[in-house]
Amino acid sequence: MPQHELSACPGCAEPLDSNDRFCGACGHDLSAAAVPEPDRPTIAIGTPVDWPEAPAREPGSLSTSTQHPGDLPGTDSGGRDLTTPPAQGAAGAGAAAATPEAGRPARDLPTISVLTDGPHAAATSGDGLAALAAGGHGPARGTAVPAQAPAPAADGDFRLAAPDPRTAAAQPPAAPAPSAPPAPSAPPVPSAPPAPSAPPAGSKVCVACRAGHVDPDGYCENCGHAQPRERDHMEQELATVAAVSDRGLRHHRNEDAFAVAATTLPGGSPATLAIVCDGVSSATRPDEASATAADTAGRSLLAALPRGTNPQQAMHEAIVAAAEAVNALAEDPAQDAMEHDPHRHQNAPACTIVGAIVADGLLIVGWIGDSRAYWVPDDRTTAPARLTQDDSWAAQMVAAGLMNEAQAYADERAHAITGWLGADAYELEPHTAAFKPDRSGVVVVCTDGLWNYAEAAEDMARVVPADSAGRLLHGAQVLVGHALDGGGHDNVTVALLPFTFAPQGGGSA
C-alpha cells in the first residue's frame, strides 16, 4: 500500500504517523488519495453586509427580472445582432406598442397555463394572460388580447379557479356604466404584485432574503434557503463582557461553548464572569460536553458570588460542578447507544474549561486543559502576560526542562492534553489564581482555536485592538477574524473582560 504524506488526519486533525493506514481517532481511511481542500475566502466579521435589494417583478410576470440572451451584446450562431429585436409584422408592432412593455426588446418568456378568476384576468397584462384566464392557451408573442370575462358552463354556472398569484387580493371591479363602455383597444392596467408579508413577531428572519420566516426545520419559508445552525456562529455582548464563537473553516460543527454574565457582590459592587469551553474532538459528543460545562459553571458562579463566596473559591467550585455535569453525560443511557458496553467510559464526553472573574479590584482565573487566559494592558508599552499554564504534553516537556517552548510546540504531540473534564479524566485538579493588576487592561479568555495564531502574550497583545476595552464585541470579532484569516483550522471562541484600575485599591501586578 502506498504510504500517505499527511501529518494530521483530514477528517479530525488527529496527528498521524507515516505508517498509519487509518486514523486512530475517527477511523478515516488514509490510503485514499488526499485531495487538498480549496482555500475558502473569509469575510471580516463585524463589517455590515450590504445585502442587494430583490429584483423588481416585471408587469405580468410570475418571476423577478432576469437577464436574457437578447440583453447581451454580440451575435447569435447566424451572425445576427443579439441586441436587435426580431422583425415583427405591422400588426405585431402595433400591438406591442399598446402594451406596457413597448420600446423594450421582446422576451421569449415561457407561458404557463394558469386558471385565474375572470376579474383578475381582466386586470392583467402581458403575453396573453387574459386569454389564459378565459381558458385559452395564449396568443402568439407580440400580439395584444382584449380582456374577456369567463364564459358560463353548460349548467349556467361560472367555473371559479384559484386567484391569480400575480395580483394582489382585489375586490371585484364595479360594472361599467352602460353609457360609457370601456374601449376594447385600451391597454389593461397591470396590478402591483403583493408585498411580502412580514415575519411573525419574535421569529427568525432568513439570512439570505432578509424577508422570509424560518420554519422549525431551519429553512426559509420564502426562498427555501437553509439557515446556518445556531452554534456555527454565536455572539453575546453585555456592558462589561462580550464573547464570540465560530465554527471555523475546517470543522463540520462548533464544539466550543461559552457563558458570560454580570452580577453584584453582597456589598453592591459589580462582578463580571466569562467561561469558555473547548470540546475534545476525539471524545463522543464533545459539543454537548462543552455546552454543559459552560452553562453549569456559569450558573454556579452566579449563585455563589452574590452570597459572598470568595471569588477564587467560587471559581474552584464552579469547575468542580462543571466536571460533575460532564461526567453525568456518560451515565445517560438515553444518549448513549452502547449503554451496556462496560468500556464505554473510555471515550466519554470531554472538554477543557477556562474562566475569569473581575470583581472588587481582583482578577480571578481558573482552568483545566489547554484553553487560556491572557492579560493585555491598555498601555501597550507595558508587558502583557499569559495567566494560565496548559495541561498538555508540550507544557509538561517544558516544565521538566526536556525541551524549550519552541521545540515542544513544534512536536506533533504538543496539543495532547493531560487534563480535561470527563468521566475518563485521570484526576480532577482545578487550577485557580488571583491577580491584582496595577493598571487598566483587558482579559482575553479563549480556546486554542485563537491562541494557535497568537501564542505568545506579545503576539496576543498585537492582535487585540487598542480600543477593545470600550468596544468589547468589536474586539472579540476582530480576534475571531484573525484566526479565520490565519486558516481557521479549529473552532474559535474568545471572551473579553475589561479591568478598570482604581488607584485607591491598587496593588502590585
Side-chain angles (χ1 to χ4, degrees):
M1 295 293 291
Q3 293 185 342
H4 65 83
E5 296 182 358
L6 301 174
S7 60
C9 173
C12 67
E14 181 75 9
L16 302 171
D17 294 331
S18 59
N19 59 348
D20 285 345
R21 293 176 56 189
F22 296 92
C23 175
C26 67
H28 187 87
D29 185 2
L30 305 175
S31 61
V35 179
E37 182 176 352
D39 189 20
R40 286 178 271 182
T42 59
I43 300 175
I45 294 179
T47 303
V49 178
D50 185 15
W51 294 99
E53 294 292 336
R57 294 180 185 270
E58 294 185 357
S61 173
L62 287 174
S63 62
T64 56
S65 299
T66 57
Q67 189 178 65
H68 298 269
D71 301 333
L72 304 175
T75 60
D76 60 14
S77 58
R80 293 181 294 273
D81 190 353
L82 288 175
T83 58
T84 302
Q88 299 180 10
T99 64
E101 298 188 359
R104 286 193 286 175
R107 296 189 170 186
D108 190 15
L109 294 175
T111 310
I112 315 170
S113 298
V114 181
L115 291 177
T116 58
D117 291 340
H120 294 287
T124 307
S125 67
D127 290 337
L129 295 177
L132 289 174
H137 295 285
R141 180 166 56 91
T143 61
V145 178
Q148 301 177 12
D155 56 2
D157 293 333
F158 286 87
R159 181 177 60 173
L160 297 180
D164 188 349
R166 291 159 296 193
T167 61
Q171 299 296 329
S179 58
S185 60
V189 179
S191 300
S197 59
S203 64
K204 293 183 179 180
V205 178
C206 174
V207 300
C209 68
R210 297 288 180 175
H213 166 63
V214 178
D215 64 20
D217 293 332
Y219 292 87
C220 176
E221 295 180 345
N222 180 46
C223 68
H225 189 90
Q227 306 300 297
R229 290 170 294 187
E230 182 179 1
R231 287 188 65 172
D232 282 356
H233 185 87
M234 301 179 292
E235 296 184 357
Q236 187 174 354
E237 181 182 29
L238 304 177
T240 54
V241 63
V244 176
S245 181
D246 192 270
R247 178 173 60 91
L249 304 179
R250 303 297 180 91
H251 282 237
H252 69 284
R253 65 181 175 185
N254 189 0
E255 297 170 356
D256 289 357
F258 66 81
V260 295
T263 185
T264 56
L265 302 180
S269 59
T272 304
L273 61 97
I275 300 293
V276 170
C277 297
D278 183 358
V280 178
S281 296
S282 59
T284 57
R285 294 147 52 204
D287 53 332
E288 294 184 38
S290 61
T292 299
D295 179 68
T296 302
R299 287 189 287 105
S300 176
L301 289 174
L302 285 177
L305 293 174
R307 291 199 305 260
T309 305
N310 181 283
Q312 191 167 356
Q313 178 64 26
M315 178 63 76
H316 179 95
E317 294 174 356
I319 295 176
V320 173
E324 293 174 349
V326 175
N327 291 351
L329 293 177
E331 304 293 339
D332 185 2
Q335 296 291 336
D336 197 333
M338 301 179 65
E339 60 179 295
H340 303 297
D341 183 357
H343 305 292
R344 63 192 176 98
H345 290 291
Q346 294 178 0
N347 198 25
C351 67
T352 67
I353 186 171
V354 62
I357 303 172
V358 173
D360 202 19
L362 293 175
L363 168 58
I364 311 297
V365 296
W367 74 97
I368 291 181
D370 62 350
S371 294
R372 294 180 176 180
Y374 291 83
W375 163 256
V376 178
D378 291 342
D379 181 5
R380 299 303 170 85
T381 62
T382 58
R386 173 151 64 98
L387 308 178
T388 58
Q389 183 68 41
D390 297 344
D391 290 320
S392 67
W393 180 91
Q396 285 190 346
M397 294 298 103
V398 174
L402 301 177
M403 292 183 177
N404 61 38
E405 191 164 316
Q407 293 172 333
Y409 282 101
D411 193 282
E412 61 182 10
R413 297 164 291 181
H415 291 282
I417 58 175
T418 58
W420 61 88
L421 305 183
D424 56 357
Y426 299 130
E427 186 175 356
L428 181 64
E429 294 183 0
H431 313 287
T432 60
F435 304 89
K436 197 168 187 180
D438 61 356
R439 55 185 58 87
S440 297
V442 64
V443 185
V444 181
V445 185
C446 63
T447 62
D448 60 346
L450 171 61
W451 66 253
N452 274 330
Y453 301 99
E455 186 171 335
E458 294 75 13
D459 297 333
M460 184 64 71
R462 277 193 292 269
V463 298
V464 173
D467 60 349
S468 290
R471 302 175 63 194
L472 294 172
L473 182 58
H474 173 262
Q477 291 170 336
V478 169
L479 292 176
V480 172
H482 173 76
L484 298 181
D485 290 341
H489 287 75
D490 199 355
N491 307 143
V492 190
T493 302
V494 58
L496 295 182
L497 301 88
F499 181 93
T500 304
F501 171 67
Q504 65 273 18
S508 59

